[in-house]
Amino acid sequence: MKITSQSREFSKVEIYKMTKANDTISVKDLPDGSTLLVDGYLTYDDINAKGEEIHMLSVIGFIEGIDKPVVWTCQSQTFKQDFSDIWAIFNDEEKFMIAKGSGESKAGRKFLKCTLA
C-alpha cells in the first residue's frame, strides 16, 4: 500500500483505520442520501484480490448520532472526482458535509457520485 495524497497529517491509528481496518464503509454499500461531516481524506494505491493495482479514496468524518469517526472508502472515479472538486472549493478552511448519490449513464452503466450535503 502506498499513500499518494492526504489532506493532513494522520496518526498511525487513523492511517490504519483508513486503509486496512475491517470496519470501513464502502461507499457502494451506502444508501443514496447518506451524509458524512468530512474531517480529512487520503488516497492510496493498493493491490486487490486479483493482483490488480487499485486507486482508493478514504474519507474520515462523523455521522450524526455516532460519536467516533467513521471511514468511507471507494474506488469510483466519479465519486473521487466529485469529492476532489468539493475539497478544492472548501480547501479545509471550513467544515462541510458530503452526501452519497448514484446515477446511470446513457449507456446504462451505474455510477457513484458525491455531492455537497
Side-chain angles (χ1 to χ4, degrees), residues 32 78 100-113:
D32 284 357
T78 304
K100 182 259 182 173
S102 62
E104 189 171 321
S105 71
K106 292 178 184 176
R109 187 166 179 251
K110 295 183 188 292
F111 62 90
L112 302 175
K113 58 186 177 179

Side-chain angles (χ1 to χ4, degrees), residues 12-13 15-17 24 31 34 53 55 58 71-72 75 80 83 90 96-97 99-100 103-104 113 117:
K12 290 178 182 182
V13 170
I15 291 171
Y16 175 81
K17 288 180 180 274
T24 62
S34 296
E53 185 176 62
H55 310 287
S58 286
V71 176
W72 286 7
Q75 59 182 327
K80 291 188 294 187
F83 179 82
F90 284 85
F96 63 93
M97 290 186 74
K100 182 259 182 173
E104 189 171 321
K113 58 186 177 179

Side-chain angles (χ1 to χ4, degrees), residues 26-45:
S26 178
V27 172
K28 68 182 177 189
D29 296 333
L30 292 167
D32 284 357
S34 296
T35 60
L36 181 73
L37 177 62
V38 176
D39 187 41
Y41 77 90
L42 62 78
T43 59
Y44 65 100
D45 297 336

Side-chain angles (χ1 to χ4, degrees), residues 4-115:
T4 55
S5 67
Q6 58 190 34
S7 61
R8 62 176 171 86
E9 289 297 318
F10 292 102
S11 70
K12 290 178 182 182
V13 170
E14 288 173 316
I15 291 171
Y16 175 81
K17 288 180 180 274
M18 296 174 77
T19 60
K20 299 295 182 184
N22 291 330
D23 61 349
T24 62
I25 302 168
S26 178
V27 172
K28 68 182 177 189
D29 296 333
L30 292 167
D32 284 357
S34 296
T35 60
L36 181 73
L37 177 62
V38 176
D39 187 41
Y41 77 90
L42 62 78
T43 59
Y44 65 100
D45 297 336
D46 208 353
I47 305 298
N48 68 12
K50 296 177 185 176
E52 304 164 329
E53 185 176 62
I54 54 173
H55 310 287
M56 300 294 295
L57 166 69
S58 286
V59 182
I60 192 166
F62 296 89
I63 296 174
E64 189 175 331
I66 299 177
D67 58 352
K68 67 178 187 167
V70 297
V71 176
W72 286 7
T73 61
C74 76
Q75 59 182 327
S76 162
Q77 189 58 41
T78 304
F79 189 96
K80 291 188 294 187
Q81 184 59 55
D82 290 345
F83 179 82
S84 178
D85 292 345
I86 294 168
W87 184 268
I89 291 169
F90 284 85
N91 199 19
D92 201 29
E93 294 173 5
E94 60 184 278
K95 297 291 183 187
F96 63 93
M97 290 186 74
I98 57 172
K100 182 259 182 173
S102 62
E104 189 171 321
S105 71
K106 292 178 184 176
R109 187 166 179 251
K110 295 183 188 292
F111 62 90
L112 302 175
K113 58 186 177 179
C114 176
T115 60

